[in-house]
Amino acid sequence: MNDDFVRWWAARHRATKFAVRRIPFRELDAWHFEPGSGNLVHRSGRFFTVEGVKVEEGTALSWSQPIINQPEIGILGILVKEIGGVPHALMQAKMEPGNVNTLQLSPTVQATRSNFTRVHRGSTTRYLEHFAGPAQGKVLVDSLQSEQGSWFWHKRNRNMVVETADDVPVREDFHWLPLPALRSLLRRPNLVNMDARTVLACMPMTPPEEAADPFTDALLRSYRASRGLHTTDEITSWLTEARTGCDWRTRLIPLAEVESWSRAENKIANLDDQDFRILAVAVEAGNREVTRWTQPLLAPRGRALAGFLTAAFDGVLHLLVQARREPGLRDVVELAPTLHLTAGQDPGGHAFGRDLLTVDRSRVRFDCVMSEEGGRFYHALTRYMVVETHPGPPPDVPEGFRWVTVGQLTDLLRHGHYLNVEARSLLSCLHSLW
């Protein structure tokens, strides 16, 4: 690990005191349950609300759950610059109340619209001028990408990468990191946050010319391959068919109408207390735009799992993706990892659960636990895995799955709403395997 980064990271931990404690809902400041609807809302009418979503599938199935509705579009932006002939990224040591370890490495700018328009009346968002308003550099990435469709209603953020040649003053909570070093940090648990991972997945890559082993060679070929077992047009047509054939009907409902969930003094939970809960916390953070506040958080029970099965066909690495339904996605269906289980789901019931979890360790290429969005979720952890299958001809897979190259997924990321956030996190993890 870069020595300068180690010293800076340790200094940021020492410099600021953080405190997060659970509180009953009655101690929330500026938040309340609306009469009638029961929705949990902020008095400004901004930030987000906790409402309900109802899903109807054909005529046979209907279910409902709480969901976070945050209609405004935030900015996730990484500023990059060539320093000494090496591309660097300006990264931030950012505290989020839901982080399991409080401080994680985040993009240069990670802000909701309510934050950067200063609804909270706090200080301004640093470096925002590089991503909003008149162009301050060369825009390399600018796309709207979804977030967790199981927990967010139609949530999306603007993912941006902007290159600058200017001298940029570096504030104490920020640090220029060489891109190769930043990618290597993805192999460390709970260090690079979800917002940084999704932007890194969208960032244009220049793979090295040489590989250290056959797997890496196949991976590098996959970056360069725009065509694999299926053309990109065939992949997008297959996804469109999955969307049009999906018989889910989803709509927002008042939180008070969500069935089989109840509200207690300090949590909203389903009757068997599984899946997730809605909690309230009080926060103190010396390095944030506002240093004290309270807010709700969604707290999953247990750890999620997301993994790609990989295989090399004609020397080109392919990833097995699925067309996955989630109630909060704008198009309901997006491309997801081979295995994508939310907290508490049994991997034994999934078609590829055994392939990922019982494979010989020599075929596990990536295995790391990382945090999801700590601004809205409390201690939400996902185990991310990349696993090789046995070599051989392309195996038959169920209709809801397709083999794709890394190059094809990278091309799709120039547009929004193709890859879900877990798939994007895993794609960024692949960047650490060169």
Side-chain angles (χ1 to χ4, degrees), residues 103-131:
L103 202 64
Q104 295 191 13
L105 203 57
S106 81
T108 318
V109 168
Q110 177 187 320
T112 66
R113 184 168 183 81
S114 289
N115 282 340
F116 65 72
T117 57
R118 301 177 65 193
V119 172
H120 50 44
R121 299 184 180 181
S123 59
T124 57
T125 300
R126 293 167 180 171
Y127 304 107
L128 180 66
E129 65 273 13
H130 294 278
F131 302 92

Side-chain angles (χ1 to χ4, degrees), residues 20-25 27 265-268 277-283 297 299 301 378:
V20 180
R21 62 183 176 87
R22 287 185 57 182
I23 59 174
F25 290 124
E27 293 183 16
E265 180 184 22
N266 61 354
K267 67 179 179 180
I268 300 170
R277 298 157 292 160
I278 304 295
L279 310 175
V281 295
V283 186
L297 289 172
R301 282 196 168 277
Y378 183 78

Side-chain angles (χ1 to χ4, degrees), residues 145-146 232 234-240 242-243 308 319-326 329 331-338 340 399-405 408-410 412-413 416-425:
Q145 300 292 344
S146 64
T232 300
E234 289 169 344
I235 294 297
T236 56
S237 178
W238 164 71
L239 178 61
T240 301
R243 287 170 169 171
F308 273 136
L319 313 176
L320 187 60
V321 299
Q322 62 167 305
R324 176 183 167 87
R325 300 180 293 180
E326 296 181 79
L329 295 176
D331 292 314
V332 183
V333 180
E334 291 187 3
L335 298 179
T338 318
H340 179 176
E399 175 54 31
F401 294 80
R402 287 290 187 277
W403 291 103
V404 301
T405 70
Q408 288 174 319
L409 293 185
T410 302
L412 291 176
L413 278 177
H417 308 295
Y418 277 104
L419 275 68
N420 76 359
V421 68
E422 289 82 6
R424 298 196 307 274
S425 275

Side-chain angles (χ1 to χ4, degrees), residues 199-426:
V199 179
L200 287 172
C202 300
M203 186 180 293
M205 309 302 298
T206 305
E209 293 297 323
E210 297 184 359
D213 55 63
F215 175 85
T216 310
D217 181 65
L219 174 59
L220 298 183
R221 291 171 183 264
S222 188
Y223 275 101
R224 303 183 185 106
S226 59
R227 178 179 179 131
L229 290 180
H230 308 280
T231 67
T232 300
D233 285 342
E234 289 169 344
I235 294 297
T236 56
S237 178
W238 164 71
L239 178 61
T240 301
E241 176 64 26
R243 287 170 169 171
T244 57
C246 178
D247 59 355
W248 276 19
R249 299 185 305 280
T250 61
R251 58 185 173 91
L252 288 176
I253 61 173
L255 184 59
E257 294 181 13
V258 173
E259 299 175 354
S260 301
W261 289 69
S262 63
R263 188 176 93 203
E265 180 184 22
N266 61 354
K267 67 179 179 180
I268 300 170
N270 56 8
L271 297 183
D272 56 6
D273 207 17
Q274 299 296 313
D275 201 6
F276 65 85
R277 298 157 292 160
I278 304 295
L279 310 175
V281 295
V283 186
E284 296 180 28
N287 68 343
R288 290 292 298 264
E289 295 90 345
V290 173
T291 57
R292 293 172 180 263
W293 74 92
T294 63
Q295 69 169 91
L297 289 172
L298 185 152
R301 282 196 168 277
R303 193 171 66 185
L305 176 64
F308 273 136
L309 280 179
T310 74
F313 307 128
D314 295 326
V316 176
L317 194 76
H318 284 64
L319 313 176
L320 187 60
V321 299
Q322 62 167 305
R324 176 183 167 87
R325 300 180 293 180
E326 296 181 79
L329 295 176
R330 294 175 70 88
D331 292 314
V332 183
V333 180
E334 291 187 3
L335 298 179
T338 318
L339 185 69
H340 179 176
L341 303 178
T342 57
Q345 285 187 298
D346 179 13
H350 190 278
F352 296 100
R354 183 181 299 274
D355 299 87
L356 274 152
L357 296 177
T358 64
V359 70
D360 186 275
R361 290 299 300 177
S362 65
R363 293 187 174 275
V364 178
R365 292 294 176 168
F366 186 92
D367 190 355
C368 188
V369 174
M370 292 187 281
S371 297
E372 303 306 328
E373 214 281 287
R376 298 292 176 266
F377 310 139
Y378 183 78
H379 294 186
L381 303 176
T382 301
R383 181 184 180 187
Y384 285 98
M385 301 181 70
V386 176
V387 173
E388 284 185 277
T389 63
H390 291 285
D396 292 332
V397 295
E399 175 54 31
F401 294 80
R402 287 290 187 277
W403 291 103
V404 301
T405 70
V406 177
Q408 288 174 319
L409 293 185
T410 302
D411 286 344
L412 291 176
L413 278 177
R414 292 182 298 174
H415 315 283
H417 308 295
Y418 277 104
L419 275 68
N420 76 359
V421 68
E422 289 82 6
R424 298 196 307 274
S425 275
L426 271 174

